Amino acid sequence: MEWLLLFFFLPFVLTMMFFNWLEEKLFKFRDREKLEEGEILLHENKFVEAQLFFTEKLNHFPKSSRAYFYRSKANLMLKNYFSALYDIEQSISFDNTVGEAYVIKGKVLYKLKEYDRAFLEFDKADWFFRSENPETLRWRGMARYCIGQVENAINDFNKAVLLGDEDAAYILRTKFEYIKKRG
């Protein structure tokens, strides 16, 4: 009896899995084609226009992790921190394999003075980048400094400097005055 049920339901399940996979691939293809204009707006520092553009795209594609990601970048630059946090969390919930998303989330949390949580997000991003992204190391160092892990912060800044990050070198040279002014 069990074999009979398996015989009838297995093709159904496999068919549904195939169509779900196909739908996901088609949405990614359509999103890629239609988000370029918004990316250009972000690149040209037209953040209000970019925010409106990605909001419109999300009305049509409510599960687009990339649209949420780019709208969070626009909101971050507009200092709409809570909106940026919501957007980046939505982006991560749809696609948690983008290291840059954790950097954005960490920056938002840092701006909200939630340094412990920011550190964790920068640490996740560093894992994705395998300690080869100087911006991630610098921001993680800044978060570490704010939660009292000064020696580890210095190590992060030194790693970032070795990767060519001039901002990290400036922070080390000025003995953390830059962080004290921002924090």
Side-chain angles (χ1 to χ4, degrees):
M1 183 68 173
E2 293 86 21
W3 289 101
L4 188 62
L5 287 173
L6 184 64
F7 178 73
F8 284 113
F9 287 110
L10 188 59
F12 174 74
V13 170
L14 291 175
T15 303
M16 293 303 294
M17 289 173 57
F18 171 74
F19 281 114
N20 282 337
W21 173 82
L22 186 62
E23 180 184 28
E24 179 182 320
K25 295 300 178 191
L26 288 175
F27 274 131
K28 285 184 180 178
F29 178 74
R30 281 193 266 168
D31 287 349
R32 182 174 300 129
E33 295 295 317
K34 295 186 178 185
L35 296 179
E36 290 175 352
E37 183 181 334
E39 292 178 53
I40 291 169
L41 290 171
L42 281 175
H43 185 69
E44 294 174 349
N45 296 331
K46 297 178 180 177
F47 302 119
V48 174
E49 293 90 346
Q51 179 192 39
L52 294 173
F53 176 84
F54 291 117
T55 300
E56 180 64 28
K57 290 301 175 185
L58 285 166
N59 289 335
H60 299 293
F61 301 102
K63 293 184 179 182
S64 172
S65 66
R66 292 183 66 235
Y68 276 113
F69 173 78
Y70 289 125
R71 189 171 75 172
S72 72
K73 281 179 117 176
N75 279 321
L76 176 62
M77 298 311 290
L78 292 170
K79 299 183 181 180
N80 298 333
Y81 299 129
F82 292 105
S83 296
L85 184 60
Y86 171 80
D87 287 341
I88 201 64
E89 285 176 347
Q90 289 298 313
S91 175
I92 291 170
S93 74
F94 292 123
D95 183 5
N96 64 355
T97 62
V98 181
E100 183 67 26
Y102 295 102
V103 174
I104 299 293
K105 186 174 180 184
K107 286 180 182 181
V108 171
L109 292 169
Y110 187 89
K111 298 289 185 179
L112 293 172
K113 299 186 187 318
E114 294 187 31
Y115 303 118
D116 290 329
R117 290 179 57 201
F119 164 72
L120 293 174
E121 297 304 321
F122 293 130
D123 206 38
K124 288 177 195 175
D126 186 53
W127 182 84
F128 277 99
F129 291 123
R130 308 285 188 245
S131 295
E132 295 179 4
N133 184 319
E135 179 187 19
T136 303
L137 291 167
R138 175 175 23 96
W139 278 97
R140 185 173 72 175
M142 290 169 58
R144 278 187 160 159
Y145 179 80
C146 291
I147 60 175
Q149 297 179 4
V150 178
E151 287 183 34
N152 290 332
I154 292 171
N155 289 338
D156 281 343
F157 291 132
N158 284 326
K159 288 179 190 175
V161 168
L162 289 175
L163 293 171
D165 189 13
E166 294 176 10
D167 293 336
Y170 177 77
I171 291 170
L172 286 172
R173 215 175 25 253
T174 60
K175 299 186 185 338
F176 307 106
E177 289 300 319
Y178 174 77
I179 298 174
K180 291 175 187 173
K181 290 177 186 175
R182 295 185 84 191

